[in-house]
């Protein structure tokens, strides 16, 4: 009997027992807070059905083959969702690897670990190893997607544009400025310029730890983009160390107005827009 027929016959004969023992294996190795028993059973039942259908077609060598398409799609869905739910890679892979032990026990019951059925045992072992590794790959991609999305959210939160007065907005920047973040900064600033019709934008770099040639170029690009929108930019937060670095690097900020602090930049912006801060004394509530 061919190896493919032997394994499918074992599956066909013991599918109910396989499901029960497989569920028990999973429950013993996964945290109870991660999944409901009913959900685990439904997932196991569906994958075992798809696994059996693929077995019936006899291709045990390549899980990327069309015969395994539905099984792969199901594993992709489970692995992706578990990756986002906080499962570890090993907990995700357990879904497949725990089936290996249950199926191997049935193979041994049917023929024992003899030379006659070693081909079947090795093919099954290799097949389930490949499927298990596939789940970890999908899981990793899901985690990377989540991390990238969280990083993007953090970048957007770390570049707030606030309206200080009529026609004046400020963009306080904190942390390292790279090409990706510069793009977000530029898009955020330009969007707020459109929304507020601001004539002056203050870009405050007090929270930027270092300024090198690349950072300076990023700032100039942002200033240029704002200027094309009809908005004048003032760069504030030019500390002595940053000023010395810019001079040492030979970076030409051109006609860009710079100020040592956000407060001084705000005073200048008010003056340019025709407003002024008036100090009052002796005011009683």
């Amino acid at each position: 009997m061919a190896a493919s027929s032997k394994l499918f016959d074992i599956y066909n004969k013991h599918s109910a027992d396989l499901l029960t023992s497989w569920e028990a294996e999973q429950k013993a190795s996964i945290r109870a807070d991660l999944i409901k028993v009913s959900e685990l059973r439904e997932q196991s039942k569906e994958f075992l059905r798809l696994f059996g259908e693929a077995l019936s077609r006899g291709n045990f060598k390549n899980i990327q083959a069309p015969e395994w398409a539905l099984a792969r799609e199901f594993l992709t869905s489970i692995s992706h969702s578990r990756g986002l739910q906080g499962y570890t890679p090993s907990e995700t892979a357990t879904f497949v690897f725990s089936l290996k032990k249950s199926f191997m026990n049935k193979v041994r019951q049917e023929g024992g670990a003899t030379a006659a059925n070693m081909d079947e045992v090795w093919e099954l072992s290799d097949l389930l190893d490949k499927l298990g590794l596939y789940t970890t790959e999908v899981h990793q991609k899901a985690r990377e997607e989540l991390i990238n999305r969280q990083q993007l959210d953090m970048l957007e939160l770390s570049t707030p544009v606030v309206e200080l007065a009529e026609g004046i907005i400020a963009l306080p920047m904190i942390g390292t400025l790279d090409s990706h973040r510069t793009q977000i900064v530029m898009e955020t600033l330009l969007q707020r310029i459109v929304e507020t019709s601001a004539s002056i934008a203050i870009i405050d770099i007090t929270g930027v730890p270092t300024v090198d040639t690349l950072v300076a170029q990023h700032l100039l690009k942002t200033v240029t983009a704002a200027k094309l929108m009809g908005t004048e930019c003032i760069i504030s937060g030019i500390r002595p160390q940053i000023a010395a670095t810019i001079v040492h690097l030979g970076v030409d900020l051109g006609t860009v107005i710079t100020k040592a602090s956000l407060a001084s930049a705000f005073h200048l912006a008010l003056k340019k827009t025709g407003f002024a801060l008036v100090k009052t004394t002796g005011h009683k509530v």
Side-chain angles (χ1 to χ4, degrees):
M1 180 179 291
S4 57
S5 299
K6 178 68 174 179
L7 287 179
F8 179 68
D9 286 348
I10 292 174
Y11 162 82
N12 221 20
K13 181 178 179 181
H14 299 287
S15 58
D17 289 342
L18 274 173
L19 179 60
T20 300
S21 60
W22 182 27
E23 281 186 272
E25 288 290 337
Q26 292 184 79
K27 291 176 184 176
S29 58
I30 197 170
R31 289 179 297 162
D33 62 309
L34 293 176
I35 192 169
K36 295 179 180 179
V37 174
S38 58
E39 183 180 1
L40 178 64
R41 181 172 183 81
E42 286 303 312
Q43 290 179 351
S44 302
K45 185 177 180 181
E46 178 62 12
F47 178 71
L48 195 61
R49 181 185 69 81
L50 295 173
F51 184 75
E53 289 181 359
L55 281 181
S56 68
R57 295 167 187 169
N59 186 342
F60 298 172
K61 302 296 184 182
N62 181 15
I63 64 168
Q64 298 298 328
E67 294 89 338
W68 291 95
L70 293 178
R72 283 198 321 275
E73 289 176 9
F74 188 76
L75 285 179
T76 297
S77 175
I78 286 181
S79 302
H80 190 273
S81 63
R82 291 189 177 190
L84 297 179
Q85 290 168 355
Y87 283 71
T88 66
S90 60
E91 287 170 335
T92 302
T94 293
F95 182 74
V96 173
F97 287 140
S98 55
L99 175 60
K100 183 176 180 178
K101 182 177 180 180
S102 298
F103 212 129
M104 286 296 195
N105 287 335
K106 294 302 178 183
V107 171
R108 292 188 184 97
Q109 288 176 17
E110 287 296 311
T114 63
N117 77 332
M118 282 308 295
D119 285 344
E120 291 96 325
V121 172
W122 283 114
E123 285 192 347
L124 176 63
S125 177
D126 184 57
L127 173 66
L128 290 172
D129 283 345
K130 290 177 181 177
L131 290 171
L133 291 174
Y134 178 78
T135 65
T136 62
E137 292 173 1
V138 175
H139 175 278
Q140 184 62 30
K141 289 180 181 178
R143 295 297 297 170
E144 289 174 356
E145 290 174 7
L146 177 61
I147 292 172
N148 289 336
R149 188 162 60 248
Q150 290 174 337
Q151 288 177 336
L152 183 59
D153 291 341
M154 290 178 65
L155 284 175
E156 291 176 347
L157 290 173
S158 67
T159 54
V161 179
V162 294
E163 188 171 7
L164 300 180
E166 183 180 346
I168 303 173
I169 59 176
L171 173 61
M173 300 178 64
I174 300 174
T176 304
L177 188 63
D178 57 20
S179 299
H180 180 60
R181 189 178 178 203
T182 300
Q183 186 63 33
I184 294 177
V185 167
M186 190 181 300
E187 291 174 358
T188 303
L189 180 62
L190 296 181
Q191 181 60 38
R192 286 295 285 160
I193 287 174
V194 172
E195 294 172 357
T196 62
S197 299
S199 59
I200 295 181
I202 301 172
I203 302 176
D204 183 66
I205 62 171
T206 303
V208 177
T210 58
V211 173
D212 55 19
T213 304
L214 187 61
V215 171
Q217 289 175 349
H218 289 331
L219 288 173
L220 288 175
K221 288 179 181 178
T222 303
V223 169
T224 301
K227 188 175 182 179
L228 290 172
M229 299 285 291
T231 300
E232 182 181 7
C233 285
I234 302 172
I235 300 178
S236 64
I238 305 294
R239 306 183 299 279
Q241 303 93 318
I242 289 181
T245 300
I246 290 175
V247 171
H248 178 71
L249 293 173
V251 177
D252 183 12
L253 293 179
T255 59
V256 179
I257 300 173
T258 60
K259 289 294 181 180
S261 67
L262 178 58
S264 59
F266 182 45
H267 278 286
L268 177 60
L270 286 172
K271 184 178 180 180
K272 282 178 170 290
T273 53
F275 292 96
L277 291 177
V278 179
K279 184 177 180 181
T280 60
T281 57
H283 179 71
K284 295 183 180 180
V285 177

